[in-house]
Amino acid sequence: MITLNINGSQHEVDADPDMPILWVLRDTLGMTGTKFGCGAALCGACTVHLDGEAVRSCSTPVSAAEGLKITTIEKTTDGSDRVGAAVHAAWVKHDVAQCGYCQSGQIMSATAFLASLPSGSQPTAEEIDAAMEGNICRCGTYVRIRAAIADAASTLV
Amino acid sequence: MLPNPNIDYSELPRALQHMLERSRSKVAEAMPRRSFLKLTGSLGLAVGIFPHMAAAQSTNTDAAAASLKPTEQPSAFVQIAPNGEVTVTINRLEFGQGVQTALPMILAEELDADWSLVRSQLGTNDAAYVDPLFGIHLTGGSNTIKNSFTQYRELGARVRAMLLSAAAARLNVDVSTLRTEAGVVLATGGRKLGYGELAEAAMALPVPQTIALKDPKDFRIIGKPTQRLDAQAKSSGQQSFGIDFKLPGQLTAVVARPPVFGARIASLDDSAARAIKGVKAVLRIPLDRGAEGVTVIADGYWQASQGRDALKVEWDTSAVEKVDSEKQLAQFREIATRPGPRQFDADMAPLETAPLSLEAEFVFPYLAHAAMEPLNCTVRLSDDRAEIWMGSQSAGLDAGAAATVLGLKPEQVVVNVLTSGGGFGRRFSSSSDTAMEACQIAKAAKAAGLDAPVRMLWSREDDMRGGYYRPTHLHRARIGFDKQGNVLAWDHTIVGQSILTGTVFEKFQVKNGIDAATTEGMRNPYPLPMRLTVHHPVVNVPVLWWRSVGSTHTAFVMETLLDDIARATDQDPVSYRMKMFGEEHTRHRDALQLAVDKSGYGSKTLAEGRGWGVAVHESFSSVVAYVVEASVVDGQPKLHRVTAGVHCNLAVNPRTVEAQVQGAAIMGLSTCLAGSEITLKDGVVEQGNFSEYTMARITDVPEFDVNIVPSADAPTGMGEPGLPPLAPAFANAISRLTGKPVRQMPFNLA
């Protein structure tokens, strides 16, 4: 049994230590907001936060999360996290999503990025692109992703 | 393909004829070129833009009541809850293109609904949810808005009429004294009844056959930039996709597929796989195209994948062709020299005497759809029934294929259409391979004594190596022209696999040995003396429509070659095209002019090192023009800015049109980037994941400015038309900077 802290709750999970966090979330715990895109840390659809840092859950074994706080899209956008709430609101306002499948990962990457900025600082366009380069969107929503992140950043000042 | 009761086969020939015609005809020819503003029939009822619908509705009232088709029955499409919430069922797959918002907008407009109370959901393979024009379940060809605009208006108007009748009865007044506004029926003296209060009585009334549609000048929802109904769910992880669907006790299956398409198992040792914790069964199953595979069924995806990794399979590839991309190109070049069937013909004698000439060869690779949600399908089987949950662009055909595999009657199969993470054509495979394989797994599992629903899930590598690609093409052109840029003769050859041969569509869309899905986009709308020869080699690689289909390559060829001619004759690429459009092609002219005006082309001075590129293309009845700014940095092409001019007639939701243009253009941009190709060696696809198959990332993406030509004409679709002109506009900018034509996709400037 592995003890996991997910979104502030303790979960006892009977899982192979090598099993990626993604499949524990999705198949074992039924938390399907985190998505399977590539299984190889190449597209970012599965992004979660480990102690606030964006990681690819498809390629991170669950054993690596023991003792750390796992945060998923469900928690980040539930209104309790200031940065997550700003990102969520900007995503809705800018109608970013098309198919929406990659957007959980996009939002988790964007939130970790904005949370990492020094208080009051506004990211440049280049910094936004660099922070989001690991997340693929096949629908091509990137133009609105850029606008939403810049907008969210401006509301966090 | 076996007969399917969910398909109205009497509709099929006409419908498919129309699909064939679509690629050849302009909007003006495909439907009466008049505004729907004037379309009111002799009985005062709206007749819509389609002749057969008009005929159906113009019959006398008794016959009309009996002749309302399933697609015209409000009960299949609208539910109004006591609290006034209106739930609209859409007859398509929502996979990003925004129809789950646009169709409810259309219906809500005529219903006079309170938009804040409108919800939407996806349908099934029920007969109500066929495309009203084609008579089959279909999400494709950018057809949803074009074909269901009148349908959803009429549905909304019928429900509104029923609500008014119920209100008149309730208030004991004449219906003519009532009006509606935002979800409420208003009577004289300030009396009001909400739709929620009236719904139960209203929906029990006979469906009226005669209805009046709004004058479009009164539209308050259609045409207004509107937030997607799924924006909240898709920004919070709450949206459920096919992959997220879960039944109690459900198991997950993965499949070991042969490395070469169509190969079979020579030997199998599954002992290690069976020993993996959580693995429930390892079974041999028949696959698509006569192949054979091994499915591993387990508690979850991880366990199933572990099991698959532990399989020891020897494959027998002796009976199937093993394609090699390099050899294939040599073969295609040889084939291009042979005589073949001609789509167009013209006198080629001027080629020998023309003052100027050019010769060109283009190579386009296989492309994977690579939707972000890997293919999946969940099946629950009982003795006399199968229930399927999947993201399907073709629920009726998938149900038919499932019935065939399972030995059931088609009416014993229900396909529930689930929201998909993209698709771009891949969720309508001509063989229904996804549904078929999932049903083979469910059937084998049941035979093996596993009494549980099974979800088949593909890995990314399964998806990328699993076939059904945009086919590879070789184009060759020899063009003679004069110093004014007048084309005197254009001899053109295309070599590429037919998408539709061997499918249910073959007899309607493959004529004289030429697949219309290969040649769509060639020549039109330019008045060119073209001879077009087409070869369709048979190759052991499954191919399929891929967002904008034939126009993915024909637009590139047409728009870059015309730019080459303009450049060779010192003509401005915009005025050269305008001259070719003439007075007739006003939508092309208007789209291009709008893009030119908004881009600053011809007036603005570009930044150092940047060049302009222009392209215009009509596909699926909509026209998109791009004026782009690009540069070459360290030998690499870079796209900086895209200004679009779009003509899709009336834009139902301009906000979605903008998104679709951006998205389609970025998918087109992907095809230009190094590494955006599927190649084969010894029959095996060489790419497996995103590290080997390039798709545009945010750092590749230019600035965008999307502009829509105002129009009140009946809307045309926008899921695909934004894609084709992007790559040629980009290439034309690069050519103007380097002086060298771009003839290869992805771009190779070496």
Side-chain angles (χ1 to χ4, degrees):
Chain A
M1 293 298 262
I2 296 174
T3 303
L4 297 174
N5 181 325
I6 305 172
N7 297 336
S9 302
Q10 298 290 118
H11 295 261
E12 298 285 321
V13 179
D14 178 16
D16 179 340
D18 291 338
M19 188 165 168
I21 294 170
L22 173 67
W23 296 109
V24 173
L25 291 171
R26 291 187 54 84
D27 280 356
T28 309
L29 299 172
M31 298 173 66
T32 55
T34 305
K35 299 303 184 198
F36 169 47
C38 68
L42 297 166
C43 76
C46 66
T47 304
V48 299
H49 297 168
L50 267 190
D51 275 0
E53 195 173 326
V55 300
R56 310 306 187 205
S57 69
C58 74
S59 303
T60 308
V62 69
S63 55
E66 273 188 290
L68 304 180
K69 288 178 185 162
I70 302 172
T71 308
T72 71
I73 183 72
E74 287 89 348
K75 180 69 177 170
T76 295
T77 57
D78 74 357
S80 62
D81 177 75
R82 179 170 168 265
V83 179
V87 172
H88 169 74
W91 241 250
V92 173
K93 175 184 165 191
H94 288 269
D95 239 340
V96 171
Q98 290 185 29
C99 88
Y101 192 77
C102 74
Q103 300 299 345
S104 293
Q106 304 278 3
I107 289 168
M108 295 306 284
S109 290
T111 303
F113 165 60
L114 291 180
S116 74
L117 294 176
S119 180
S121 77
Q122 292 296 298
T124 65
E126 289 73 23
E127 287 168 345
I128 291 173
D129 277 10
M132 300 303 292
E133 193 179 12
N135 288 76
I136 297 177
C137 174
R138 185 58 154 165
C139 296
T141 61
Y142 299 117
V143 181
R144 291 185 180 179
I145 287 174
R146 284 173 176 161
I149 293 174
D151 198 354
S154 72
T155 67
L156 288 168
V157 174
Chain B
M1 193 67 62
L2 293 179
N4 181 333
N6 296 314
I7 298 173
D8 182 354
Y9 278 92
S10 68
E11 291 269 357
L12 205 50
R14 182 182 62 220
L16 294 169
Q17 285 291 355
H18 183 85
M19 284 175 79
L20 174 64
E21 290 302 320
R22 182 204 68 203
S23 61
R24 299 184 180 144
S25 63
K26 302 183 296 297
V27 171
E29 291 160 2
M31 62 180 76
R33 187 86 175 116
R34 24 174 197 164
S35 164
F36 58 81
L37 280 144
K38 295 167 189 157
L39 290 173
T40 303
S42 57
L43 296 170
L45 58 127
V47 296
I49 54 172
F50 302 112
H52 79 281
M53 292 189 72
Q57 292 170 12
S58 298
T59 49
N60 70 55
T61 50
D62 290 345
S67 73
L68 277 183
K69 295 176 185 171
T71 56
E72 298 166 327
Q73 299 286 357
S75 59
F77 296 90
V78 186
Q79 294 165 278
I80 303 176
N83 67 1
E85 277 191 357
V86 176
T87 301
V88 178
T89 303
I90 67 164
N91 56 358
R92 314 284 171 161
L93 173 62
E94 170 62 59
F95 53 167
Q97 80 282 40
V99 297
Q100 199 175 348
T101 302
L103 289 173
M105 285 173 71
I106 295 164
L107 192 147
E109 178 70 65
E110 295 289 347
L111 177 59
D112 258 349
D114 176 351
W115 180 248
S116 69
L117 295 176
V118 175
R119 315 284 179 256
S120 63
Q121 63 184 18
L122 276 57
T124 65
N125 61 321
D126 186 275
Y129 307 124
V130 299
D131 180 296
L133 189 64
F134 294 157
I136 60 171
H137 298 83
L138 172 69
T139 308
S142 300
N143 277 311
T144 298
I145 298 304
K146 188 166 68 133
N147 292 357
S148 282
F149 182 67
T150 303
Q151 178 195 11
Y152 272 68
R153 288 184 75 192
E154 291 178 346
L155 287 164
R158 286 203 168 89
V159 176
R160 177 178 169 273
M162 290 154 78
L163 289 162
L164 281 168
S165 295
R170 181 85 51 92
L171 298 171
N172 198 22
V173 298
D174 190 273
V175 75
S176 65
T177 66
L178 302 174
R179 60 191 181 88
T180 56
E181 190 181 289
V184 177
V185 177
L186 299 165
T188 53
R191 287 179 295 174
K192 289 183 183 179
L193 285 169
Y195 284 3
E197 301 170 68
L198 294 164
E200 192 178 354
M203 295 308 270
L205 293 172
V207 179
Q209 59 276 18
T210 60
I211 39 160
L213 297 184
K214 277 187 183 176
D215 186 327
K217 75 174 168 47
D218 297 327
F219 285 169
R220 60 185 182 86
I221 299 173
I222 292 174
K224 184 178 156 196
T226 301
Q227 182 167 81
R228 294 176 62 117
L229 291 174
D230 52 14
Q232 279 285 353
K234 287 182 173 177
S235 305
S236 59
Q238 301 303 314
Q239 174 68 53
S240 182
F241 296 85
I243 196 173
D244 302 325
F245 182 76
K246 193 165 190 180
L247 294 164
Q250 173 178 301
L251 300 173
T252 296
V254 300
V255 179
R257 292 179 180 75
V260 182
F261 298 112
R264 303 182 67 82
I265 297 166
S267 71
L268 169 65
D269 174 359
D270 61 8
S271 51
R274 289 177 184 278
I276 302 273
K277 189 182 168 195
V279 170
K280 301 289 186 191
V282 181
L283 303 162
R284 292 167 72 133
I285 54 164
L287 296 175
D288 186 32
R289 298 166 68 86
E292 196 181 11
V294 185
T295 184
V296 179
I297 305 173
D299 288 332
Y301 176 79
W302 175 248
Q303 296 87 340
S305 300
Q306 297 279 98
R308 178 168 66 175
D309 291 347
L311 290 173
K312 294 186 185 70
V313 195
E314 299 283 330
W315 300 98
D316 175 6
T317 62
S318 59
V320 290
E321 181 197 5
K322 290 181 267 302
V323 175
D324 191 291
S325 292
E326 279 181 31
K327 289 178 194 157
Q328 184 185 50
L329 180 56
Q331 275 174 349
F332 277 24
R333 284 182 170 138
E334 189 278 320
I335 291 168
T337 64
R338 300 179 198 166
R342 288 177 187 160
Q343 170 93 340
F344 311 128
D345 216 339
D347 178 16
M348 291 296 112
L351 279 179
E352 310 308 323
T353 55
L356 295 165
S357 66
L358 69 81
E359 285 191 54
E361 180 190 273
F362 296 83
V363 180
F364 298 89
Y366 290 110
L367 293 175
H369 300 76
M372 294 308 294
E373 181 193 6
L375 293 173
N376 61 83
C377 179
T378 301
V379 181
R380 180 165 63 192
L381 267 188
S382 63
D383 289 338
D384 60 355
R385 185 177 160 83
E387 201 163 2
I388 296 172
W389 291 264
M390 66 185 297
S392 173
Q393 295 177 247
S394 53
L397 291 172
D398 286 341
T404 303
V405 168
L406 299 170
L408 294 174
K409 294 176 186 149
E411 62 268 27
Q412 293 172 307
V413 178
V414 175
V415 173
N416 301 282
V417 180
L418 300 185
T419 303
S420 289
F424 315 109
R426 184 62 183 89
R427 295 187 207 273
F428 180 3
S429 95
S430 42
S431 66
S432 290
D433 68 316
T434 308
M436 195 185 75
E437 291 189 359
C439 288
Q440 291 287 7
I441 293 167
K443 185 179 166 183
K446 188 159 184 280
L450 278 180
D451 184 21
V454 181
R455 169 187 66 168
M456 177 183 76
L457 179 53
W458 289 35
S459 69
R460 175 56 52 193
E461 289 80 6
D462 294 335
D463 197 286
M464 202 162 283
R465 296 192 173 123
Y468 292 98
Y469 306 116
R470 193 287 300 272
T472 186
H473 288 90
L474 178 77
H475 279 249
R476 278 192 172 167
R478 192 173 161 219
I479 306 170
F481 51 101
D482 65 19
K483 288 172 182 167
Q484 289 74 47
N486 297 304
V487 173
L488 306 173
W490 183 322
D491 191 10
H492 200 105
T493 301
I494 305 177
V495 183
Q497 286 166 260
S498 167
I499 292 170
L500 301 170
T501 299
T503 75
V504 67
F505 301 110
E506 176 174 352
K507 67 193 269 203
F508 309 109
Q509 281 214 286
V510 183
K511 292 278 164 80
N512 183 31
I514 297 176
D515 186 337
T518 301
T519 59
E520 61 184 355
M522 286 301 296
R523 194 179 65 177
N524 282 343
Y526 303 106
L528 299 168
M530 181 183 285
R531 179 168 78 183
L532 175 57
T533 307
V534 183
H535 300 275
H536 292 307
V538 175
V539 179
N540 183 30
V541 177
V543 293
L544 194 63
W545 33 71
W546 186 103
R547 196 176 191 176
S548 79
V549 198
S551 290
T552 56
H553 50 100
T554 60
F556 189 84
V557 168
M558 291 300 304
E559 290 298 304
T560 57
L561 286 172
L562 287 171
D563 227 66
D564 289 348
I565 296 169
R567 201 160 53 249
T569 54
D570 289 325
Q571 298 189 72
D572 175 77
V574 172
S575 43
Y576 180 65
R577 284 178 174 81
M578 290 293 193
K579 186 172 73 179
M580 300 265 271
F581 294 148
E583 295 306 312
E584 184 190 355
H585 298 289
T586 55
R587 295 173 86 221
H588 290 75
R589 296 182 66 90
D590 291 350
L592 179 56
Q593 192 61 53
L594 184 59
V596 165
D597 292 346
K598 297 288 185 179
S599 66
Y601 179 91
S603 55
K604 170 173 116 175
T605 305
L606 284 182
E608 179 71 23
R610 288 195 187 184
W612 292 107
V614 176
V616 189
H617 189 75
E618 175 181 352
S619 58
F620 308 95
S621 306
S622 293
V623 182
V624 175
Y626 289 127
V627 176
V628 307
E629 297 175 30
S631 69
V632 179
V633 180
D634 300 331
Q636 295 301 313
K638 176 78 184 168
L639 187 62
H640 298 282
R641 187 169 176 78
V642 174
T643 306
V646 178
H647 207 313
C648 58
N649 294 352
L650 173 66
V652 171
N653 186 356
R655 207 168 182 193
T656 292
V657 171
E658 181 196 57
Q660 286 302 297
V661 171
Q662 291 174 349
I666 289 168
M667 197 162 173
L669 170 61
S670 283
T671 68
C672 305
L673 303 176
S676 176
E677 56 186 324
I678 293 291
T679 56
L680 295 101
K681 193 157 185 63
D682 205 21
V684 180
V685 173
E686 294 185 284
Q687 294 75 25
N689 211 315
F690 296 133
S691 51
E692 297 154 332
Y693 183 72
T694 304
M695 309 204 303
R697 291 175 184 261
I698 198 166
T699 41
D700 299 308
V701 168
E703 295 177 285
F704 269 89
D705 177 25
V706 178
N707 306 279
I708 302 169
V709 177
S711 169
D713 289 336
T716 51
M718 279 309 299
E720 295 164 278
L723 195 147
L726 190 281
F730 188 13
N732 289 338
I734 299 302
S735 295
R736 283 175 186 270
L737 288 167
T738 63
K740 286 192 264 180
V742 180
R743 299 284 194 239
Q744 195 170 338
M745 297 290 282
F747 293 179
N748 179 359
L749 306 192

